[in-house]
Amino acid sequence: MSNVFRELLKKVGSGNHTGENLTREEAAAATKMILLGEATPVQIGAFLIAHRIKRPTGEELAGMLDAYDELGPKLKPIASVRPVMVLGIPYDGRTRTAPINPITALLLAAAGQPVLMHGGDRLPTKYGLPLVDIWQGLGVDWTGLPLEKTQQVFEQTGIGFVYTPQHFPLTQSIWEYRDQLGKRPPFATMELIWCPYAGDAHIVAGYVHPPTEAMFQEALAQRGVTNFTTIKGLEGSCDLPRDRTAIVGLSKPAITNEIERLHLVPREYGFTTKNVPLDTTEELVAQMQGVLKAIPSELMQTALWNGGFYLWRSGICSDMRSGIAQAEELLTSGAVAAKLQEISSLIQSQASMVNRCTDVPWRVSTF
C-alpha cells in the first residue's frame, strides 16, 4: 500500500464539505503511481470513482497530462509549415453516428496539413467502434508498428497514429478498472487533450458537456498551450454535427484561456440537417470507400461539411465556403484516395521490415 497515494485519495474522496482538489503536482504524482502500479488496486479503484464523483479541475487535468508527458511516447517534430493538428477523439469509440474523422485526416494530409491521431482498441465503457478498426477496414493497420516506424510514416505521409496498447502499454491497466467500475474516470476527459507530439501542435478536442470545455481551457492554459479548437461534436468527437448548430471554440493565442465562439449552421452552407447513422463496420467502410471515389451520398455530405471546416481552421482556405469547395476538389480529383494508398503501401512495407527483423531462424552449431 502507498501511504502517499492514500493521502491523495483522502483529499478527493472526503465529500463536499471536507474534500479538496489536488494541486497540479499532486495530480501528476497520483497519475504516475496509478500507471506504475505503485498504488494498490483498492486504492486505484477508489480514487478513480471518487475523482469522477468530485469532477476534475483544469489544474488536475494539467497534472495528469504532465505525468503522461513524462511516462508516455511522443512523436518527434516533423518538417511542416503548419502546426500538426492533433485530433482528440474519445477512446471508447462510436455507437450511434457514423464517424468521418479518418476521411478528414486523409483530406487534410492531402492538402498539406499534418494530422496526428491516437487511441486503442474497443474499450469501455461504450465499447464503440474505435479508430483502428476503421483504418484497418480501409487497408491501414497501425497496430503492429513500433513507434520509430510510426514516426517514419508520419514524416513521409503527414498522418500518424499513436496506438496506445503498442506505444503506451502503461495505460492498459486503467482500462481494466474502467471496465469494472462501469464509469468513465477523469482520464477519459484528459485523453481528449493529450498531445503525443513533441513539436508545434494544434490540439482539437471534442466534448459533450459544456463544463468540459472550461476544464480544457484551464488545463491547456496552465500548460502554456495557446493553439487549440474545441468542438461540441458527435458523441464527444471532433466531427461536426449536421442535425444541429455546431458549437466551436477557437483559441485566441494572444489572450491566454480565452476563446472565440463560433456557431456553424449546416443549412446555411447547403447541407441537410441529418447525421449518418452507424450500422456495421463493414457498411461504414463501404460508405467511406464511396466517399473516396466521390460518389454522392449522405456520408459524402458529412465529409464535405467537416473537410471544409478543417481546411479553413488549418489556414489552408480563407473561409468555410472555399474550404468546402476545396474539400470537394480533393475528393473528386482522387488526391484523398491517393493519400490513403500511399499510407497503406508504406505501412505494409514497414510492417514487412519489422517482421523480417523479428523472424530470426534458430541455427544449430556443430562442433
Side-chain angles (χ1 to χ4, degrees), residues 33-336:
M33 284 187 276
I34 290 172
L35 293 176
L36 296 174
E38 295 174 356
T40 67
V42 170
Q43 288 179 317
I44 295 172
F47 182 91
L48 293 178
I49 199 66
H51 204 195
R52 173 188 166 83
I53 294 171
K54 180 190 79 68
R55 301 298 182 186
T57 65
E59 182 176 3
E60 289 171 337
L61 292 181
M64 296 161 70
L65 289 168
D66 291 342
Y68 266 51
D69 277 356
E70 181 177 342
L71 299 176
K74 275 189 180 293
L75 292 178
K76 299 174 184 177
I78 63 173
S80 174
V81 297
R82 297 182 180 86
V84 168
M85 194 168 275
V86 182
L87 303 183
I89 298 168
Y91 282 15
D92 57 1
R94 300 275 280 275
T95 58
R96 303 187 306 275
T97 55
I100 200 64
N101 22 77
I103 297 294
T104 302
L106 289 166
L107 195 153
L108 286 171
Q113 169 61 60
V115 179
L116 177 60
M117 309 174 89
H118 50 94
D121 301 310
R122 285 191 180 264
L123 297 168
T125 53
K126 284 170 64 176
Y127 284 105
L129 178 62
L131 290 172
V132 288
D133 283 12
I134 304 171
W135 280 111
Q136 286 175 336
L138 293 173
V140 176
D141 187 1
W142 296 100
T143 64
L145 295 181
L147 194 65
E148 61 272 16
K149 297 298 182 183
T150 301
Q151 177 76 41
Q152 293 175 18
V153 174
F154 186 37
E155 290 174 351
Q156 294 183 47
T157 69
I159 293 186
F161 193 102
V162 172
Y163 176 60
T164 54
Q166 169 86 310
H167 302 144
F168 197 5
L170 287 177
T171 62
Q172 291 305 101
S173 63
I174 296 175
W175 297 103
E176 298 174 13
Y177 289 102
R178 189 158 151 177
D179 183 36
Q180 293 177 37
L181 293 173
K183 292 293 183 179
R184 295 170 51 147
F187 284 106
T189 302
M190 179 273 295
E191 70 199 17
L192 298 173
I193 52 174
W194 179 44
C195 179
Y197 177 63
D200 189 14
H202 177 171
I203 296 175
V204 184
Y207 68 92
V208 175
H209 305 295
T212 302
E213 184 185 41
M215 283 188 273
F216 288 165
Q217 290 176 251
E218 176 61 25
L220 294 173
Q222 290 219 6
R223 288 173 52 82
V225 176
T226 59
N227 192 7
F228 63 89
T229 300
T230 59
I231 298 175
K232 194 174 189 298
L234 291 175
E235 298 185 56
S237 74
C238 300
D239 289 348
L240 298 183
R242 286 172 53 198
D243 65 336
R244 56 177 167 82
T245 298
I247 302 173
V248 179
L250 310 177
S251 62
K252 293 183 175 180
I255 307 175
T256 303
N257 205 25
E258 290 290 330
I259 62 171
E260 176 186 349
R261 181 63 68 209
L262 178 65
H263 294 91
L264 296 172
V265 183
R267 64 176 176 272
E268 293 181 356
Y269 294 89
F271 295 102
T272 58
T273 55
K274 177 182 179 181
N275 293 323
V276 180
L278 174 62
D279 293 318
T280 66
T281 305
E282 293 75 19
E283 183 173 343
L284 174 66
V285 169
Q287 291 173 325
M288 286 187 167
Q289 289 170 337
V291 171
L292 292 168
K293 296 175 183 176
I295 298 173
S297 67
E298 287 296 332
L299 194 65
M300 178 69 167
Q301 295 299 298
T302 299
L304 295 176
W305 175 230
N306 280 267
F309 168 76
Y310 280 100
L311 287 171
W312 166 72
R313 183 57 176 146
S314 65
I316 292 173
C317 295
S318 59
D319 54 43
M320 277 285 294
R321 294 190 187 280
S322 62
I324 293 168
Q326 178 72 3
E328 186 171 19
E329 169 62 24
L330 287 166
L331 286 165
T332 55
S333 69
V336 181

